[in-house]
Amino acid sequence: MERLKSHRDFVTVLKRRNKVSDHDIVVHYLVRDDSHSCPKTSQSDGIPATQADQRPPSDPSGRRVGLAVSKAVGHAVTRNAVKRRFRVLARQYEQLLPEQCDIVMRAKPSAAHAAYASLDRQVERLFAAVGTRAAQGR
C-alpha cells in the first residue's frame, strides 16, 4: 500500500466527503477510475516514456493511504505512536478496500488512549464498510 504524499491528493479525497467513522477513527475515501491512466510520452521527442513513468504521479495504480493526526490527539510522541498503529492496521486490512482506492485515516483525540485491539476491530469494520459502499457505487 502506497502513501498519499501531496497536499493536492489529500484535498481531493477530503473534498469528496465520502467517509465512514467509528469511535476513534474517521476514514475518508475516494475510489479512482482508470480514465486518467493513459501512457505518457516524453515532452522533448514524442517517444513513449519508460515503464516506470507511464503513471502520472497523482494517479498511481493500487491503494493509497494518508494519515491525519492533529495536535488535538496529543504531543508528538503520542501522534507518532497513533500513526504507527494506523500504518500497521492499514496494511493488515488493505485487501478489504477496492483496488483503485485512496483513503485518509483521521484520528479522533480518543485514538491516543484506545487499546490496539479496539483500533484493530474499528479499522476492519471501516475498511469493510468502504469496500461495501464502493461496490454499491456510493
Side-chain angles (χ1 to χ4, degrees):
M1 179 177 269
E2 293 188 33
R3 290 176 37 204
L4 286 176
K5 295 177 184 172
S6 74
H7 177 72
R8 182 177 66 179
D9 291 339
F10 271 85
V11 170
T12 301
V13 174
L14 295 174
K15 278 193 173 183
R16 290 296 172 106
R17 299 192 187 273
N18 295 328
K19 66 181 179 180
V20 291
S21 64
D22 212 327
H23 185 68
D24 302 310
I25 307 167
V26 178
V27 175
H28 299 266
Y29 65 96
L30 170 65
V31 179
R32 300 183 316 271
D33 61 354
D34 291 336
S35 63
H36 302 314
S37 59
C38 59
K40 296 192 306 186
T41 58
S42 176
Q43 294 288 335
S44 60
D45 53 9
I47 298 173
T50 64
Q51 190 74 348
D53 293 335
Q54 288 187 356
R55 298 188 302 241
S58 63
D59 193 17
S61 64
R63 302 170 186 105
R64 300 187 303 170
V65 64
L67 304 175
V69 183
S70 73
K71 289 184 179 180
V73 173
H75 294 292
V77 173
T78 305
R79 292 193 309 270
N80 289 335
V82 169
K83 287 189 276 188
R84 278 193 304 273
R85 287 177 165 193
F86 279 9
R87 279 190 211 103
V88 168
L89 292 169
R91 263 186 251 116
Q92 184 176 347
Y93 293 111
E94 74 175 292
Q95 76 279 357
L96 297 175
L97 296 170
E99 188 61 38
Q100 298 287 323
C101 185
D102 290 344
I103 63 166
V104 174
M105 296 177 69
R106 185 167 53 87
K108 294 181 180 179
S110 59
H113 307 292
Y116 184 82
S118 172
L119 292 175
D120 185 36
R121 286 189 304 272
Q122 290 178 55
V123 170
E124 182 180 15
R125 277 195 307 262
L126 293 172
F127 280 23
V130 168
T132 302
R133 286 185 177 196
Q136 295 172 350
R138 294 194 288 163

